[in-house]
Amino acid sequence: MLVPLAIRCFRDPQTFAANATATCWTDLLQQARSLGLTAQLHALFARHQLLQSLPETVQKHFAWGWRYYQKQRGSLFYELMQLEPFLGQADYPCLLLKGAAYQALGLTVSEGRLYSDIDLLVRRPQLTDCKDKLFFAGFFEPAISAYDKHFYLELSHENPPLYHVKRGTALDLHFALFPLAGRKKLNTELVFASASKIAGSCLQVPNLSYLYIHAAIHFFWQEEQHKLVKDLIDLDLLYGQLAEQNLLLQLLNDAQQFGALEPTVNTLLLVQSLFKRALPAEVTAKLVNSPYRRDVARALVLWQLGSGVRARLAGSLWYLRGYHHKMHWRALLRHVWVKGKLAWQQRHQPG
Amino acid sequence: MAFFSLHTPPFSVRIDTDSPTLFNDLSVLYPPEILLQSPCIKHIYDFHIDYKRRFAGKSRPYHFRTGSEHFRMADANQLIPTFEWGLNWCVSAYQQQYLAIHAAVLEKNGRALIMPAPPGSGKSTLCALLMLRGWRLLSDEMCLIDPASGQLQPYVRPVSLKNASIDVIEQYHPEIKVFHRTPDTEKGTVAYLRPSDSSWQGANVCAKPAWIVFPAYQAAAESVAVFTMPKADTLLYLAQNSFNYAVFAAQGFSLLSQLVENTESYRLEYSDTEQMLECVEQILC
């Protein structure tokens, strides 16, 4: 199996740097730019104190990426500061998710990681009130069709995206971690129970377990193919911090209670095989004997990391499988029917 | 032809194409020490460009891509303009080493002239004519400011001429050959001028900024009129026309402030190109 350069690099940066040819570096810089990983590579080599020993051109590109990341990180903190006075009035928990949460906690995975939007989680009954507060902070919801609105609120796991009227910042307001149409029976209340306050802020963050579980769900139960490498690197870095803090058994326990053991087990197995991580014996034993192992699904991931016909075929199957997870077949059929009908009506309406 | 490479300081590019003509077409614009028939095995390239047909068939367009990012498609007769625009896109979108402004830059006697201006203002025409009068071309498209020194880094590439400016150059310099005249592009007819030998020779030599001139061709205006630009206006215009001012944040503001403080800024309205050139050289030199 041909492992992508970026994964080989994160697996063992020292060996990679020692053996990489000029062509290899050119290809890595290219991959990193496409995946938005340049600044993360800068952080990786800096953590391993290898930055100064890298070829000059590589250092130059990493510095480009780092400069861009610093600007993004500044913008993210600025946006969070702008939210404080409005969400500070809320008498319910508002949790940061994904990139914003990694950054707020200062996790290793946040070093050099770019973000495209801010993800916020509130309980479903508080969604409208939170939206009202965000409205006064300058966020608005662009007009969408009645069906799309229904889709977001009843079948998805978030409100339609909100945008800041002046700065254009995108904000996703979640009320669950996974689309409701997937009928996964996930206990979102446990995420709130795990959360802790960010010092000096009204915002909260889920604990490390739930941050991993969330990343695992969005990796293993979805259809997207273009971010697989980036998501795997996120998972590996989150895994690293869980392992450091001896929280892997806690992770499996949390995943079971939450209802997402399948993505957690399989992403851990992928991290183990792709990044050559030595999992603790008791964790390995649990993974080996787990009824939630999905060998075919993991094979599809590995095949997609390659190229050619097999990768394309695996990608197509992954796409179908992702939708199967995100939408129960009855919801999917109804969705396809309604969207098709609306598109037909739009094309054939008079005038 | 599969791989070849382009070494235009400060950036190098590896190109993978299935076009049988692209390399030869580029070889009339770039000298052989810049455009290499095969990439150097020991060189790490800044950008890899994929410029291929995605499906077989002579009428199929070429796709200009870097990594997974698609820039644009080009018919076979528009390969060169799309290549040149694509290269500009790579640099303007991804490099964060220099503060980059959309402007032409030339140098004479160690002092550099920056010409930021919107399309249609006569920037490229003026740039080409000054180069043909002995000024060293640093770039006709991108002013790269080194944040460490405040000096201007050359990025020498062929001068892109559009529509009427092609005729102006041919009228003033009938001895100069204009290459790859391509009609019906999205910018109208475009053609390219080779940088002068001194420009290629100085491709690694930075220059100190001395003047900022905003040219504005106005057919109905006086033959030439020069106005001093307020420094605050100049700074705002440069910031608005920068590709990465926001990324440089406070350092970007400081760099532009220094640039504007240490240079003279003018707005130059003209309808007579010959008089305008004389005026420019008189004021600046």
Side-chain angles (χ1 to χ4, degrees):
Chain A
M1 182 189 58
L2 190 65
V3 177
L5 288 172
I7 289 183
R8 278 168 49 198
C9 199
F10 274 87
R11 179 198 291 171
D12 184 354
Q14 199 145 19
T15 307
F16 186 93
N19 299 323
T21 61
T23 307
C24 200
W25 283 118
T26 300
D27 293 341
L28 176 72
L29 292 177
Q30 192 64 37
Q31 273 186 21
R33 195 182 304 121
S34 293
L35 295 166
L37 284 172
T38 312
Q40 276 187 285
L41 285 170
H42 179 286
L44 172 79
F45 283 104
R47 280 198 298 276
H48 288 80
Q49 293 170 341
L50 292 166
L51 209 49
Q52 303 307 320
S53 64
L54 300 179
E56 205 177 309
T57 308
V58 177
Q59 286 189 44
K60 176 182 82 177
H61 278 264
F62 288 177
W64 296 2
W66 193 252
R67 189 189 286 278
Y68 188 76
Y69 159 69
Q70 282 181 310
K71 179 253 170 188
Q72 266 224 342
R73 186 176 56 176
S75 302
L76 173 64
F77 284 136
Y78 176 80
E79 288 297 341
L80 295 180
M81 293 294 283
Q82 298 305 305
L83 289 176
E84 284 284 336
F86 299 93
L87 296 181
Q89 296 166 18
D91 54 1
Y92 47 84
C94 299
L95 274 63
L96 292 175
L97 296 175
K98 296 197 259 188
Y102 304 158
Q103 201 61 256
L105 284 170
L107 299 180
T108 309
V109 67
S110 74
E111 294 171 5
R113 191 179 187 279
L114 303 181
Y115 80 102
S116 53
D117 50 22
I118 295 172
D119 294 283
L120 213 55
L121 174 72
V122 294
R123 289 189 178 95
R124 179 66 187 250
Q126 273 112 31
L127 187 70
T128 308
D129 183 70
C130 189
K131 239 167 61 177
D132 291 346
K133 287 187 166 50
L134 290 169
F135 175 81
F136 285 104
F139 285 89
F140 73 101
E141 189 183 303
I144 56 172
S145 71
Y147 177 76
D148 285 345
K149 180 108 184 168
H150 162 83
F151 175 83
Y152 270 105
L153 296 178
E154 304 303 328
L155 300 173
S156 174
H157 56 307
E158 63 193 21
N159 192 71
L162 302 167
Y163 298 94
H164 194 273
V165 68
K166 280 188 183 163
R167 300 187 294 274
T169 312
L171 191 148
D172 285 342
L173 186 57
H174 298 245
F175 47 83
L177 295 194
F178 195 71
L180 305 180
R183 299 191 188 176
K184 293 289 187 192
K185 294 183 185 146
L186 302 177
N187 189 352
T188 310
E189 205 46 50
L190 292 175
V191 185
F192 288 100
S194 86
S196 57
K197 279 207 160 189
I198 302 168
S201 167
C202 66
L203 297 163
Q204 300 189 21
V205 275
N207 72 13
L208 199 50
S209 269
Y210 281 98
L211 289 175
Y212 183 96
I213 292 166
H214 190 200
I217 288 171
H218 280 287
F219 176 85
F220 204 68
W221 282 346
Q222 56 84 45
E223 78 294 349
E224 287 180 355
Q225 298 149 43
H226 65 284
K227 296 198 295 126
L228 289 180
V229 172
K230 189 178 183 335
D231 290 348
L232 281 165
I233 288 167
D234 279 354
L235 285 163
D236 176 56
L237 292 170
L238 285 168
Y239 155 82
Q241 290 216 273
L242 284 160
E244 260 174 35
Q245 298 174 35
N246 289 323
L247 291 172
L248 289 171
L249 285 174
Q250 178 68 43
L251 168 70
L252 290 173
N253 195 31
D254 287 344
Q256 184 160 30
Q257 287 184 1
F258 181 66
L261 204 48
E262 182 188 312
T264 307
V265 163
N266 287 285
T267 52
L268 283 173
L269 288 167
L270 282 166
V271 165
Q272 183 187 34
S273 65
L274 280 168
F275 295 90
K276 308 284 180 222
R277 303 298 179 218
L279 270 58
E282 63 270 41
V283 176
T284 308
K286 279 184 182 279
L287 298 185
V288 167
N289 299 319
S290 172
Y292 291 99
R293 286 175 67 109
R294 300 288 179 263
D295 295 347
V296 175
R298 289 201 315 284
L300 288 180
V301 173
L302 300 179
W303 289 346
Q304 285 180 85
L305 299 179
S307 57
V309 176
R310 193 168 72 169
R312 284 201 292 275
L313 180 66
S316 304
L317 292 171
W318 185 254
Y319 184 83
L320 292 174
R321 178 191 168 277
Y323 265 103
H324 164 72
H325 278 291
K326 279 168 76 169
M327 295 184 93
H328 186 271
W329 68 269
R330 277 203 291 270
L332 182 61
L333 274 182
R334 184 171 180 275
H335 178 66
V336 170
W337 163 251
V338 174
K339 287 297 270 187
K341 193 173 139 194
L342 288 174
W344 190 88
Q345 282 172 345
Q346 209 169 13
R347 266 202 306 274
H348 294 88
Q349 69 187 2
Chain B
M1 177 64 60
F3 282 102
F4 62 90
S5 63
L6 193 58
H7 297 249
T8 44
F11 309 113
S12 58
V13 184
R14 188 178 68 180
I15 300 122
D16 184 9
T17 183
D18 54 4
S19 161
T21 60
L22 183 64
F23 181 83
N24 288 337
D25 288 349
L26 288 172
S27 64
V28 299
L29 298 175
Y30 293 94
E33 64 275 17
I34 298 280
L35 181 69
L36 306 184
Q37 270 194 321
S38 56
C40 304
I41 293 172
K42 293 191 174 171
H43 186 83
I44 300 171
Y45 286 89
D46 292 304
F47 300 102
H48 172 88
I49 287 164
D50 198 71
Y51 202 19
K52 292 184 190 159
R53 287 185 162 121
R54 293 188 71 183
F55 301 100
K58 280 195 174 172
S59 61
R60 296 288 180 184
Y62 290 85
H63 293 243
F64 188 105
R65 301 166 64 89
T66 178
S68 56
E69 303 300 310
H70 173 87
F71 172 62
R72 205 172 280 182
M73 290 188 285
D75 289 332
N77 63 338
Q78 296 194 359
L79 270 184
I80 293 294
T82 305
F83 179 84
E84 288 294 315
W85 296 332
L87 222 51
N88 291 339
W89 164 70
C90 284
V91 173
S92 58
Y94 296 112
Q95 80 78 27
Q96 307 296 351
Q97 185 176 358
Y98 304 100
L99 179 65
I101 299 162
H102 187 204
V105 188
L106 298 116
E107 176 264 345
K108 197 168 194 181
N109 301 327
R111 306 179 78 196
L113 160 67
I114 301 170
M115 286 194 294
S121 57
K123 166 176 69 93
S124 291
T125 319
L126 187 50
C127 175
L129 288 169
L130 286 170
M131 181 186 78
L132 295 170
R133 285 168 83 106
W135 287 66
R136 173 167 73 98
L137 175 77
L138 276 81
S139 171
D140 89 316
E141 187 68 22
M142 222 172 289
C143 171
L144 301 175
I145 306 169
D146 184 346
S149 65
Q151 297 246 321
L152 307 183
Q153 165 68 42
Y155 181 38
V156 184
R157 301 258 308 283
V159 180
S160 159
L161 301 170
K162 292 167 213 87
N163 303 312
S165 66
I166 304 170
D167 300 329
V168 173
I169 298 299
E170 287 182 331
Q171 180 197 331
Y172 281 87
H173 291 275
E175 79 287 1
I176 293 294
K177 190 154 189 239
V178 180
F179 296 94
H180 298 306
R181 186 189 285 257
T182 313
D184 303 326
T185 74
E186 64 168 56
K187 295 182 182 180
T189 300
V190 295
Y192 293 90
L193 201 62
R194 276 183 82 137
S196 59
D197 290 346
S198 65
S199 304
W200 285 123
Q201 284 154 13
N204 282 307
V205 182
C206 291
K208 189 181 171 193
W211 311 282
I212 301 171
V213 172
F214 296 86
Y217 177 77
Q218 291 176 349
E222 284 183 54
S223 53
V224 60
V226 183
F227 306 92
T228 303
M229 282 278 285
K231 288 190 181 291
D233 289 1
T234 306
L235 189 145
L236 282 177
Y237 190 92
L238 293 177
Q240 281 163 5
N241 283 275
S242 168
F243 297 109
N244 54 358
Y245 176 71
V247 176
F248 274 72
Q251 194 185 10
F253 179 77
S254 158
L255 271 172
L256 286 190
S257 302
Q258 278 171 29
L259 175 71
V260 171
E261 199 56 49
N262 298 329
T263 51
E264 296 161 26
S265 309
Y266 302 101
R267 175 174 165 83
L268 199 76
E269 291 177 6
Y270 69 98
S271 58
D272 183 322
T273 307
E274 185 66 44
Q275 278 201 39
M276 180 270 297
L277 285 170
E278 277 170 23
C279 179
V280 166
E281 297 217 285
Q282 208 174 9
I283 296 171
L284 306 187
C285 299

